[in-house]
Amino acid sequence: MNTWTTDRERGSALLLRGACWLTLTFGWGLGRLMLYPGTLYYYATAAQPRAASRDYLRRVLGRPVREAEILRHFFNFASITLDRVFLLSGRTGRFTITTEGLDALTEVIDRGEGCILLGSHLGSFEALRAFGRTAPVRVSPVMYQRPGSPMTGLMQALDPSLAEDVITIGSPDAMLQVKASLARGEIVAFLADRDPQNRSGRTVAVDFLGEPADFPTGPFILAAVLEAPVVLFYGLRLGPRRYSIRFERFAERVILNRATRQADLVAQVSRYSASLAAQCQVAPFNWFNFFPFWNGTHR
């Protein structure tokens, strides 16, 4: 059975690099025009993502979903992918990126403490990276990088410093890198709505948009072990080249008592999923997990 980590990426390295060259050479407008046939092709050929989009949108909108809304969902994802090219290459002059709740983050930074940012596959992670370039401390994303991925190769070509900042999940020294970054007063960022390695027993089922879904426990356990403050972040796409980065206080310390560890863990993950659900309802076409999410396992 395929999972999101083992499915072959759609699009070859040559195709991705060609589309990227055209976009950077002739401008964002041409790139946006190319999104329309690409979105239609994806909609016509990607049966599972189409079903997953319908299932999610039905839950977040609270009504039956029109096919045009699934197309809009896919187009929003494609638009964020286009913007990623410009955000990674530093061509942000015509972008509007606003921030909300920044004091939740600056309070921690001003104390000289390291901080864990928990995000999700809602909106754009690259919008956070664009913000990170102006942050007073280093921001290191902790992420899964698919071996031989055309998209990973393209991202690193657009921003060679990316490899220096990213802490790769599954690498032998990932935990040590996270600990060292926090000790230096830096920020490490996780996406906490998907288990990147589909590890059995590393998730808990909590309510999300009205029905239990599996969420990873790793980021919350790590925060508890390292005794680091936790702040939530969202990089919502509001329109063409317009983003809002939102920060939200989560915990000064994540506490998992030995006697009630599992219940405490469920409570922490539930708080996270409730915040994510609220943001999904604000920007419903921004959440991009195109696989069966409510069937008891992450696929």
Side-chain angles (χ1 to χ4, degrees):
M1 184 175 291
N2 289 335
T3 69
W4 72 268
T5 53
T6 58
D7 278 345
R8 180 177 60 84
E9 287 187 349
R10 290 171 175 262
S12 67
L14 183 61
L15 182 62
L16 284 171
R17 288 180 181 275
C20 180
W21 181 85
L22 286 170
T23 297
L24 291 177
T25 302
F26 296 103
W28 181 88
L30 175 63
R32 183 171 172 85
L33 284 175
M34 290 192 295
L35 297 184
Y36 291 95
T39 299
L40 286 171
Y41 175 79
Y42 188 73
Y43 172 83
T45 61
Q48 178 176 290
R50 195 168 60 240
S53 172
R54 181 181 291 105
D55 185 34
Y56 158 69
L57 290 174
R58 174 181 61 82
R59 297 170 191 275
V60 74
L61 298 176
R63 56 171 173 76
V65 178
R66 297 186 292 272
E67 295 303 307
E69 290 171 321
I70 298 174
L71 275 167
R72 178 181 174 186
H73 195 194
F74 288 168
F75 186 79
N76 210 37
F77 176 66
S79 297
I80 284 175
T81 304
L82 168 66
D83 289 345
R84 176 185 295 180
V85 171
F86 289 85
L87 293 170
L88 285 173
S89 59
R91 303 187 187 192
T92 58
R94 303 188 71 175
F95 281 73
T96 300
I97 302 175
T98 60
T99 59
E100 298 179 24
L102 187 58
D103 57 329
L105 187 61
T106 55
E107 285 176 6
V108 179
I109 294 173
D110 290 345
R111 297 198 303 262
E113 290 189 69
C115 176
I116 290 177
L117 285 179
L118 292 186
S120 63
H121 293 81
L122 180 76
S124 173
F125 195 80
E126 275 65 38
L128 176 71
R129 287 204 187 108
F131 164 82
R133 290 191 179 98
T134 64
V137 298
R138 184 177 181 179
V139 180
S140 295
V142 183
M143 58 191 293
Y144 176 82
Q145 299 193 85
R146 191 193 307 245
S149 161
M151 181 57 73
T152 298
L154 177 61
M155 290 168 61
Q156 291 177 349
L158 289 169
D159 185 359
S161 67
L162 190 63
E164 299 174 8
D165 292 331
V166 169
I167 299 173
T168 302
I169 292 174
S171 63
D173 62 343
M175 177 70 170
L176 293 176
Q177 290 185 64
V178 170
K179 186 175 182 179
S181 292
L182 293 173
R184 292 192 296 266
E186 297 172 357
I187 297 169
V188 292
F190 295 82
L191 300 182
D193 60 340
R194 179 193 293 173
D195 179 17
Q197 295 177 299
N198 298 292
R199 296 164 297 182
S200 176
R202 301 296 182 92
T203 61
V204 294
V206 298
D207 180 79
F208 181 59
L209 295 173
E211 189 174 331
D214 287 347
F215 282 80
T217 57
F220 303 91
I221 294 173
L222 185 65
V225 169
L226 297 179
E227 299 183 338
V230 178
V231 175
L232 306 186
F233 77 91
Y234 303 98
L236 301 182
R237 179 180 183 270
L238 303 181
R241 289 184 284 193
R242 291 196 302 116
Y243 289 85
S244 173
I245 301 175
R246 302 179 180 181
F247 298 99
E248 181 182 315
R249 291 179 182 83
F250 186 77
E252 277 297 312
R253 297 289 184 270
V254 171
I255 298 173
L256 304 177
N257 295 301
R258 181 175 298 179
T260 57
R261 186 177 185 277
Q262 188 63 21
D264 292 343
L265 195 53
V266 169
Q268 297 289 347
V269 178
S270 293
R271 287 180 55 220
Y272 168 81
S273 68
S275 173
L276 175 58
Q279 292 297 327
C280 284
Q281 288 166 334
V282 169
F285 296 95
N286 268 248
W287 192 66
F288 309 121
N289 274 316
F290 296 128
F291 59 92
F293 201 81
W294 283 269
N295 67 346
T297 58
H298 282 284
R299 301 249 175 115

